[in-house]
Amino acid sequence: MKKTIFLLTFSLFSLILHAGEGMWLPVLLQQLNEKEMRAMGMRITADDIYSINHSSLKDAVVLFGGGCTGEIVSGQGLLLTNHHCGYGNIQRHSSLEHDYLTDGFWAQSLAEELPNPGLSVTFLVRMEDVTAVTLKNVTSRMSETQRDSVIVANNKLIVNEAIKGTHYKASVRPFFAGNQYYLLVTETFTDIRLVGAPPSNIGKFGGDTDNWMWPRHTGDFSVFRIYADKNNNPADYSKDNIPYTPKKYLNISLKGVNEGDFTFVYGYPGTTQEYLPAVAVDMVANHKNPIAIGLRQQRLDIIDQAMEQDRLVRIQYSAKAAGIANFWKKMIGESRGIKRLDAIDIKRGFEKDFSQWVAADPNREAAYGNLLPAYNKVYSDFIPKNDAYTYLTEGPLSIEILRYAYSFNKLVQQSSEKTISDSAVNALSKQLLAGVDGYFKNYDKTVDRKIFAAIMNTYCENASPDYMPAIYRELKANYKGDYEKWADEVFNKTLFASAESTKAFLEKYSRKDAKKILKDPAFQLAAATYAYLQQNLSKDIARFYDVTDSLQRIYMKAQTEFRPKKQFYPDANSTLRIAYGQVKGYEPADAIDYNWFATLDGIMQKENPDIYDYVVDPRLKELYRTKNYGPYCDRDGTMHVTFIATNHTTGGNSGSPVLDADGNLVGINFDRCWEGTMSDLMYDPDQCRNISLDIRYCLFVIDKVAGARRLVDEMNLIQ
Ligand code: ARG
Ligand code: ASP
């Protein structure tokens, strides 16, 4: 008896010890996770989280835009996501006259909510394992191409069947590197309006300085609303559309969380690669990341300095800079985390054990004996090519003038194509003309010229000449390494560095003018670079992925056979997942012990009126002074702003609802702690933490700072 109790507590203990890692499929929750989730404190059931028979929490979670998550919080389609997820749209509504990015925006009524062309929100209707149907007629002797074509044909039938007679969309996606396939049926809404956004000094407080870091004080949320037609169906924007009535919306808890509490994150994680071999992790951490980090650093230094000096440049470049900086910093954290965790050695150790297991059985030897040697060979051949690719894409092809010049390539092609009529060519040039102002609204020639000189210098002096388009070698020699001179000549000669010259050119365009584009120095560089990519590197890259995709599929299967007792979760692939864990602090370094929550006091401590990222909103300051926190205050008397937990999240999980043991909304996920950003490649329970906005701070800002009480009144708050 004693022994069983011991065993029982031991196994429970070891279960909980591992909890945190994993992004689980909602359909398999009951089978794989419910027991553990309940042991950790969850009071709802797997069926409350995902069900196709009745509405469940999944009906309140959406894919927001291309790469974020959002959640529905009212019966009128009100939606919460991150400020950084709404950023592009908030920016597009901003100008020097009404700078919503800096000052915030709050619609006072439905009529004032702003439409966002191009923005959509997608619900998951249902998902289903269709592996057997997808792989019908696939044999192990097929080449990858044959295999793919059979799969594509099978999936087409599955998809057509699934959406017949509905306005739904469907797709079949691979999981476990192509060992399993799921059908996903979705519903997309396209009239999504901006309802509110806090000023940047709240929504982006701490800016790129604090990004990816703890302790954190960013009020990273924005508010949108889904609109539908009169029948509650998706429809493109129309002023006659009405707020969408959702199947489900989240209740919001004002109780907060405590250390050790169970939480889960429900959302759309983008990409993880947890089951790669050591060589692959080495390529990311020690090749790709360092090259990209260096090149991004140069662009950022130039942009940051210009934004510091000029308000207009700040508006024009804030979204761009945020994007560049975000991955720059992520990569730094990731490479450090890999090193600190000894992830490559851990993988090598695993591969040693795996190889012994393979060698111990002739059948296994036949199936898997060549796997790791093949991997090593493919990667060592590929690394110099991938370096070259990273140099080009993060270097020259990140320069705005090159990208913009190349957007005229289609015009060049059509102009010289005899089968295309003059009027078609004219229509295209008019279309390009119509886009000119939009592009130049966010363009600064001085910034771009500086970036050109700096990036060309680094690229030409450091990238391997073996994989460099000839034009760079020639121009480098012509200019004798004088990159400033090179930049001056390009920017003096090009048509595409100002709205005036671009417009003047397009207004009078006729097909013989294609010659002028072909002679343009920015276009020439861009065209030569893209041609090189297409004719050389792309083939190598495609071949590499062909080989490694099939190796990874076999390796994935082999790993599950090697560790039959382990519960595997599929890598993230922008499909709906659940991560669960506990609210918990961590020790990032010797002698430092991080608390699990951060408060408004910390905002005041970080305040610095001279530094853009640390300006504190005057209204916030006043509320802090008078401690006017209303019902949003924590039991401890402070205003909690953020908290961290062991939920395994990644890019795409931004904006995801963070739910408590009862399935009530307690936070909005927005980031991870820097020491744990290698969780995309290897999760470390000691260091990996997701960062959530405390939902009470979000409501406090809406209600007390913005005075948008009408929105809080729509929500269902639980005291
Ligand atoms: N690091 C977070 C994520 O990957 C937030 C990024 C936006 N914030 C910023 N300061 N750039 O998306
Ligand atoms: N900030 C990320 C996002 O935008 C989340 C993360 O990478 O942890 O999705």
Side-chain angles (χ1 to χ4, degrees):
M1 184 66 197
K2 266 214 179 100
K3 204 169 150 198
T4 25
I5 291 181
F6 170 76
L7 273 176
L8 220 103
T9 35
F10 179 77
S11 62
L12 200 66
F13 179 70
S14 62
L15 258 177
I16 290 177
L17 213 65
H18 291 283
E21 177 170 4
M23 301 171 171
W24 305 92
L25 292 178
V27 266
L28 296 181
L29 220 51
Q30 190 155 27
Q31 189 187 327
L32 298 181
N33 313 98
E34 187 177 40
K35 206 157 139 212
E36 184 184 53
M37 292 170 92
R38 293 189 61 107
M40 290 170 68
M42 185 173 80
R43 288 184 285 267
I44 56 174
T45 65
D47 191 57
D48 295 326
I49 297 175
Y50 177 92
S51 169
I52 48 167
N53 301 317
H54 51 83
S55 68
S56 59
L57 293 174
K58 88 151 179 19
D59 300 312
V61 183
V62 296
L63 177 69
F64 180 85
C68 277
T69 307
E71 53 274 5
I72 314 293
V73 291
S74 90
Q76 291 107 69
L78 200 65
L79 179 154
L80 295 177
T81 186
N82 289 145
H83 185 258
H84 79 261
C85 295
Y87 205 72
N89 287 295
I90 305 166
Q91 198 253 1
R92 274 187 280 282
H93 293 294
S94 300
S95 61
L96 278 176
E97 294 77 58
H98 34 235
D99 185 355
Y100 298 144
L101 218 44
T102 303
D103 306 328
F105 166 78
W106 296 96
Q108 299 301 324
S109 65
L110 289 178
E112 283 180 24
E113 300 180 356
L114 299 173
N116 300 283
L119 179 61
S120 68
V121 147
T122 299
F123 290 85
L124 176 67
V125 179
R126 65 185 175 95
M127 67 186 293
E128 186 187 327
D129 186 341
V130 291
T131 312
V133 192
T134 295
L135 295 182
K136 203 172 138 195
N137 299 331
V138 169
T139 67
S140 57
R141 278 179 303 278
M142 285 178 169
S143 71
E144 279 302 292
T145 336
Q146 287 170 318
R147 184 179 192 271
D148 285 347
S149 64
V150 174
I151 290 177
V152 167
N154 287 342
N155 287 347
K156 213 169 182 174
L157 296 175
I158 302 174
V159 164
N160 288 342
E161 181 61 28
I163 57 176
K164 206 162 63 195
T166 70
H167 62 269
Y168 295 154
K169 291 196 187 99
S171 61
V172 176
R173 306 279 292 277
F175 289 72
F176 289 115
N179 285 286
Q180 275 180 24
Y181 288 84
Y182 277 85
L183 164 70
L184 300 143
V185 180
T186 56
E187 182 177 34
T188 297
F189 287 80
T190 50
D191 185 355
I192 312 301
R193 303 193 196 167
L194 177 64
V195 174
S200 282
N201 59 25
I202 291 178
K204 210 187 166 191
F205 183 80
D208 288 323
T209 322
D210 283 9
N211 189 21
W212 295 111
M213 304 240 258
W214 185 253
R216 189 65 159 278
H217 299 86
T218 315
D220 198 344
F221 77 94
S222 57
V223 191
F224 287 79
R225 192 189 302 279
I226 304 174
Y227 280 72
D229 69 14
K230 291 206 179 63
N231 304 317
N232 208 34
N233 283 324
D236 285 341
Y237 171 79
S238 152
K239 61 177 186 357
D240 301 328
N241 285 347
I242 52 170
Y244 168 64
T245 308
K247 293 196 198 75
K248 178 89 183 172
Y249 62 91
L250 301 178
N251 294 325
I252 299 178
S253 168
L254 292 182
K255 291 182 218 155
V257 286
N258 275 310
E259 179 147 39
D261 277 0
F262 171 82
T263 59
F264 67 105
V265 176
Y266 208 170
Y268 281 91
T271 312
T272 60
Q273 298 177 291
E274 311 284 346
Y275 306 105
L276 290 176
V279 268
V281 177
D282 180 49
M283 184 173 88
V284 175
N286 298 323
H287 290 265
K288 184 185 128 270
N289 285 357
I291 295 171
I293 291 164
L295 289 162
R296 281 180 183 236
Q297 176 83 61
Q298 289 190 292
R299 283 154 73 203
L300 282 170
D301 287 346
I302 294 165
I303 295 174
D304 284 347
Q305 199 196 19
M307 290 206 305
E308 217 38 75
Q309 288 162 358
D310 188 329
R311 256 189 83 209
L312 181 62
V313 176
R314 177 172 294 287
I315 294 177
Q316 291 174 321
Y317 278 77
S318 50
K320 295 179 197 174
I324 302 168
N326 195 35
F327 286 99
W328 164 78
K329 200 159 176 184
K330 155 85 194 297
M331 291 186 278
I332 297 174
E334 184 175 76
S335 285
R336 283 188 196 166
I338 293 292
K339 186 156 176 226
R340 170 173 172 173
L341 185 57
D342 269 333
I344 296 171
D345 273 348
I346 293 176
K347 293 248 178 200
R348 289 210 179 103
F350 175 85
E351 286 164 21
K352 213 170 127 210
D353 296 346
F354 173 80
S355 302
Q356 278 168 7
W357 171 81
V358 170
D361 176 305
N363 287 332
R364 292 202 290 255
E365 183 62 40
Y368 305 135
N370 193 35
L371 195 55
L372 291 171
Y375 249 134
N376 288 328
K377 168 93 177 66
V378 181
Y379 268 91
S380 60
D381 291 348
F382 185 60
I383 283 175
K385 293 166 186 163
N386 197 51
D387 287 356
Y389 180 77
T390 310
Y391 260 118
L392 278 176
T393 49
E394 294 280 338
L397 292 182
S398 74
I399 303 170
E400 288 175 276
I401 193 83
L402 263 68
R403 302 177 71 92
Y404 187 56
Y406 198 67
S407 70
F408 295 88
N409 188 44
K410 193 170 164 198
L411 187 61
V412 173
Q413 300 301 325
Q414 297 210 347
S415 298
S416 61
E417 181 59 60
K418 290 200 189 69
T419 58
I420 294 187
S421 68
D422 283 353
S423 66
V425 170
N426 282 342
L428 180 58
S429 71
K430 289 286 161 299
Q431 189 192 333
L432 287 162
L433 179 63
V436 172
D437 282 330
Y439 171 78
F440 283 98
K441 173 175 182 273
N442 290 326
Y443 181 74
D444 185 276
K445 182 178 168 176
T446 319
V447 169
D448 199 28
R449 200 211 69 89
K450 276 197 186 141
I451 290 179
F452 182 101
I455 293 290
M456 286 308 181
N457 189 338
T458 303
Y459 176 70
C460 292
E461 301 296 333
N462 295 285
S464 160
D466 296 344
Y467 299 100
M468 192 178 275
I471 191 170
Y472 291 91
R473 278 181 270 130
E474 285 155 20
L475 287 167
K476 178 186 167 186
N478 282 357
Y479 287 103
K480 302 199 176 58
D482 187 346
Y483 296 95
E484 295 297 330
K485 189 169 164 216
W486 183 0
D488 280 337
E489 290 200 7
V490 169
F491 279 79
N492 287 340
K493 274 201 204 136
T494 181
L495 291 163
F496 304 118
S498 83
E500 295 73 42
S501 59
T502 310
K503 275 191 199 164
F505 175 66
L506 288 173
E507 269 155 9
K508 289 201 287 292
Y509 188 84
S510 76
R511 64 196 314 161
K512 63 178 191 324
D513 294 325
K515 282 201 300 287
K516 292 189 187 135
I517 305 180
L518 285 166
K519 276 199 204 128
D520 189 279
F523 181 84
Q524 280 180 346
L525 266 174
T529 311
Y530 281 109
Y532 181 83
L533 274 182
Q534 264 154 28
Q535 285 152 27
N536 298 274
L537 286 178
S538 296
K539 286 190 196 130
D540 292 323
I541 292 169
R543 216 173 299 128
F544 169 80
Y545 282 110
D546 237 27
V547 177
T548 49
D549 281 356
S550 89
L551 288 177
Q552 189 62 27
R553 188 171 69 243
I554 301 166
Y555 189 36
M556 185 72 240
K557 178 161 171 278
Q559 289 182 55
T560 58
E561 288 166 11
F562 175 47
R563 291 278 180 257
K565 292 214 186 71
K566 183 176 162 172
Q567 269 176 17
F568 285 84
Y569 57 92
D571 270 320
N573 58 357
S574 298
T575 58
L576 188 60
R577 302 293 180 91
I578 284 145
Y580 54 96
Q582 284 171 303
V583 175
K584 202 172 171 186
Y586 71 111
E587 291 173 28
D590 183 39
I592 308 176
D593 195 354
Y594 276 152
N595 197 5
W596 59 273
F597 68 93
T599 70
L600 192 47
D601 300 73
I603 294 183
M604 298 314 302
Q605 287 161 12
K606 283 180 177 172
E607 179 183 25
N608 185 339
D610 299 327
I611 301 179
Y612 185 87
D613 288 345
Y614 296 108
V615 175
V616 177
D617 194 278
R619 286 159 296 184
L620 192 59
K621 243 155 104 170
E622 181 56 20
L623 291 162
Y624 175 75
R625 197 183 61 77
T626 55
K627 299 282 172 292
N628 181 0
Y629 302 153
Y632 312 114
C633 182
D634 190 77
R635 282 177 300 274
D636 67 11
T638 67
M639 184 75 240
H640 285 209
V641 174
T642 54
F643 63 90
I644 53 177
T646 62
N647 302 299
H648 188 185
T649 52
T650 188
N653 268 125
S654 275
S656 299
V658 183
L659 301 137
D660 68 6
D662 297 308
N664 295 326
L665 187 67
V666 287
I668 306 176
N669 184 72
F670 69 96
D671 211 3
R672 277 173 285 166
C673 298
W674 213 20
E675 295 77 9
T677 42
M678 70 301 187
S679 64
D680 292 348
L681 298 164
M682 192 182 282
Y683 181 90
D684 175 8
D686 279 343
Q687 298 294 318
C688 294
R689 297 290 179 272
N690 70 309
I691 307 180
S692 305
L693 176 68
D694 193 307
I695 199 66
R696 296 170 298 175
Y697 182 63
C698 167
L699 297 180
F700 164 77
V701 171
I702 296 177
D703 183 354
K704 300 276 179 180
V705 181
R709 181 81 219 173
R710 75 171 180 112
L711 302 176
V712 179
D713 289 340
E714 275 184 43
M715 305 175 192
N716 195 17
L717 306 184
I718 296 179
Q719 302 281 342

